[in-house]
Amino acid sequence: MSMAILIKNIKELLQVRNEEELKISGAGMARLPGIKNAWLLTEGDRILDFGRMEEINRLSSLLPEDVQSIDADAKMVLPAFCDSHTHLVYPGSREIEYIDKIRGLSYEEIAKRGGGILNSAKKLHETPEEELLESALERLDEIIGFGTAAVEIKSGYGLNTLDELKMLRVIKSLQDISPVKIVSTFLGAHAIPAEYKGRQEEYVDLLINEMIPRVAAEELADYIDVFCDRGFFTVEDTDRILNAGMKYGLRPKIHANELDYSGGIQIGVKYNALSVDHLEYTGDAEIKALLHSETMPTLLPGASFFLGLVYAPARKMIDAGLPVAMATDFNPGSSPSGNMQFILSLGSIAYRMLPEEAINAVTINGAYAMGLSEEYGSITKGKKANLIITKKIPSYEFLPYAYGSDKVETVIIDGKIMKNNE
Ligand code: NIG
Ligand code: FE
């Protein structure tokens, strides 16, 4: 395929990195390297080259005949967002249950009454695969519009072998159909199903003896997840499940410390998790465990915002030298939005992250948290041509600042224009 796009007169090309930079940590997060007044050339699905407009002459030797030219005309270009934590395959929404939340019940109280994840699991059981696929495709189309081009999707509304496999097969179909890059995570340990109430260990046995081997045999998941938190799975459960997953080569990406100091962060690091996610309850011991690990601390400010939880101590984590990624957690219960532009804003509004830190968290560090940062998440020669061209904005600092409005004009995925609001 020889399709090529030349973008000229870019006001600023953002997040320009060399290929060794796979994640950005600590003080480094406050830097956002870029090129002012730039051009960028794609070829096929890759970034071929880029540079400064003053040196555009050297382009002539590179240009293929069928190049499509775009005049960015004072707009900015950055890598498309990498959303490393979602549950965007789900049946129906849960806005009625959210009324109980508005009236004062907590997320945990709603869950204890059979609402929450168990409510979605019941609906999922009754929903045909086709319908799940349709609604998930609509959500993927929506998030492309917001500027996302790589996303992780979890199972976890099945909670029995057949329904978990059904969810994972839907994710697999999405991988085949959608232009978005998708990685898949098995989250059988999302909640204890109603019929296992009081027999939690037996459900963990089922996960280990039946579900994990089937998921691995059908090669349906890249990663394994456990909701390790108060009222859900214990550290001991998590230890057993991750140990079983490891035997099948499933690296963990886990839900940890959303509701309490659960020990989830430490157990994740023990199993060399690619990421530990949520982290509202993170203290000195947790930060110490994460330092010098390969595990990406991933924050989901949408869940704190929507449920009124405390926010993760992002500032403290970055100041301690840790990298941080941010993701939407797109799901019907705790964060019913897949808008990474809003997450970027929450990074600054709620976590007090600098614009540069927030942009690093939703691009390169998000890519790392999916195991994709060798090909996604930055402007680097040879990486995938997954790009956002912004609307006319005064500066990149405007991106987190102007919360709630759409700053994305054009989205390019694998070298093809997917959204164009010009
Ligand atoms: O990441 N915390 C656990 N799981 C999801 C919520 C899923 C749901 O409520 O449906 C989360 O917040
Ligand atoms: Fe989640």
Side-chain angles (χ1 to χ4, degrees):
M1 200 180 56
S2 64
M3 165 80 180
I5 300 175
L6 172 64
I7 312 173
K8 286 191 287 194
N9 296 317
I10 302 167
K11 178 170 174 172
E12 191 162 356
L13 182 61
L14 304 169
Q15 189 63 304
V16 177
R17 300 280 179 184
N18 63 48
E19 58 270 7
E20 285 91 58
E21 296 177 281
L22 298 178
K23 65 173 180 200
I24 310 297
S25 305
M29 285 190 72
R31 273 190 60 241
L32 185 69
I35 303 174
K36 292 205 167 101
N37 196 19
W39 57 268
L40 180 142
L41 179 64
T42 71
E43 187 184 49
D45 63 353
R46 303 280 159 175
I47 297 171
L48 183 65
D49 206 353
F50 48 83
R52 301 194 303 133
M53 282 306 287
E54 297 90 81
E55 295 154 11
I56 201 160
N57 311 342
R58 81 177 163 92
L59 249 179
S60 46
S61 60
L62 286 171
L63 279 186
E65 272 169 32
D66 58 350
V67 68
Q68 178 184 356
S69 209
I70 298 177
D71 191 339
D73 184 27
K75 296 157 193 165
M76 310 238 173
V77 171
L78 67 153
F81 300 128
C82 298
D83 189 353
S84 65
H85 180 137
T86 83
H87 311 246
L88 70 73
V89 171
Y90 61 83
S93 45
R94 303 210 308 257
E95 71 281 6
I96 303 306
E97 174 185 297
Y98 187 63
I99 296 169
D100 292 335
K101 179 81 193 45
I102 296 169
R103 291 214 160 102
L105 286 192
S106 72
Y107 182 78
E108 285 168 284
E109 282 162 343
I110 293 171
K112 279 208 185 95
R113 299 198 317 186
I117 297 165
L118 295 186
N119 182 359
S120 286
K122 201 160 138 250
K123 285 192 208 159
L124 184 122
H125 181 70
E126 294 152 7
T127 307
E129 235 171 277
E130 267 304 296
E131 228 174 90
L132 289 170
L133 188 69
E134 281 297 310
S135 59
L137 272 173
E138 276 171 33
R139 290 178 200 124
L140 284 169
D141 278 347
E142 188 192 20
I143 68 171
I144 290 171
F146 295 140
T148 297
V151 70
E152 182 250 21
I153 309 177
K154 301 171 191 296
S155 70
Y157 296 123
L159 306 182
N160 63 59
T161 307
L162 291 181
D163 287 333
E164 280 296 313
L165 292 172
K166 169 171 149 185
M167 275 194 87
L168 290 169
R169 285 193 199 109
V170 169
I171 299 173
K172 183 147 223 168
S173 303
L174 294 170
Q175 288 172 329
D176 296 337
I177 303 168
S178 173
V180 177
K181 172 69 180 176
I182 296 169
V183 303
S184 166
T185 299
F186 170 59
L187 175 55
H190 197 190
I192 323 299
E195 60 275 26
Y196 281 89
K197 207 168 172 201
R199 300 185 294 129
Q200 176 149 347
E201 263 140 60
E202 288 172 46
Y203 184 61
V204 175
D205 291 339
L206 179 76
L207 274 160
I208 293 172
N209 298 326
E210 193 175 293
M211 292 197 209
I212 293 173
R214 291 277 305 266
V215 169
E218 294 191 35
E219 295 183 21
L220 285 170
D222 303 302
Y223 300 104
I224 186 165
D225 193 346
V226 177
F227 188 7
C228 180
D229 228 320
R230 185 179 69 202
F232 291 84
F233 293 86
T234 65
V235 169
E236 292 70 36
D237 298 333
T238 308
D239 200 324
R240 289 181 61 207
I241 296 164
L242 297 188
N243 191 49
M246 197 174 67
K247 293 188 182 130
Y248 291 93
L250 290 169
R251 193 169 173 192
K253 273 174 71 61
I254 73 169
H255 282 77
N257 298 47
E258 176 185 6
L259 306 170
D260 204 350
Y261 294 96
S262 65
I265 293 176
Q266 288 88 335
I267 193 80
V269 170
K270 175 181 161 193
Y271 281 94
N272 191 30
L274 181 57
S275 71
V276 289
D277 303 28
H278 272 292
L279 317 189
E280 283 78 1
Y281 291 86
T282 300
D284 293 337
E286 286 77 14
I287 289 177
K288 194 161 164 241
L290 285 163
L291 279 169
H292 315 296
S293 78
E294 305 274 288
T295 302
M296 178 61 70
T298 298
L299 310 185
L300 312 171
S304 297
F305 173 76
F306 186 74
L307 295 181
L309 304 175
V310 297
Y311 282 93
R315 194 63 273 145
K316 194 173 165 185
M317 296 166 83
I318 295 170
D319 293 345
L322 289 176
V324 161
M326 289 193 291
T328 61
D329 198 13
F330 196 178
N331 77 73
S334 68
S335 191
S337 164
N339 189 342
M340 284 292 269
Q341 295 185 56
F342 184 57
I343 297 302
L344 183 61
S345 291
L346 278 182
S348 291
I349 297 166
Y351 292 150
R352 293 178 44 233
M353 287 165 81
L354 296 169
E356 295 82 359
E357 292 171 330
I359 293 171
N360 277 310
V362 296
T363 56
I364 185 88
N365 284 356
Y368 179 94
M370 291 187 274
L372 297 178
S373 59
E374 285 177 10
E375 284 197 301
Y376 296 83
S378 66
I379 303 296
T380 305
K381 277 185 213 175
K383 277 199 182 182
K384 289 280 183 156
N386 284 12
L387 309 166
I388 289 170
I389 306 177
T390 66
K391 294 180 177 163
K392 269 191 191 169
I393 56 174
S395 64
Y396 67 74
E397 288 87 345
F398 190 81
L399 292 170
Y401 160 86
Y403 80 92
S405 65
D406 185 6
K407 281 84 60 184
V408 171
E409 182 165 279
T410 305
V411 180
I412 297 173
I413 302 185
D414 289 346
K416 294 192 202 83
I417 295 174
M418 302 302 305
K419 159 182 172 169
N420 203 340
N421 275 355
E422 212 180 347

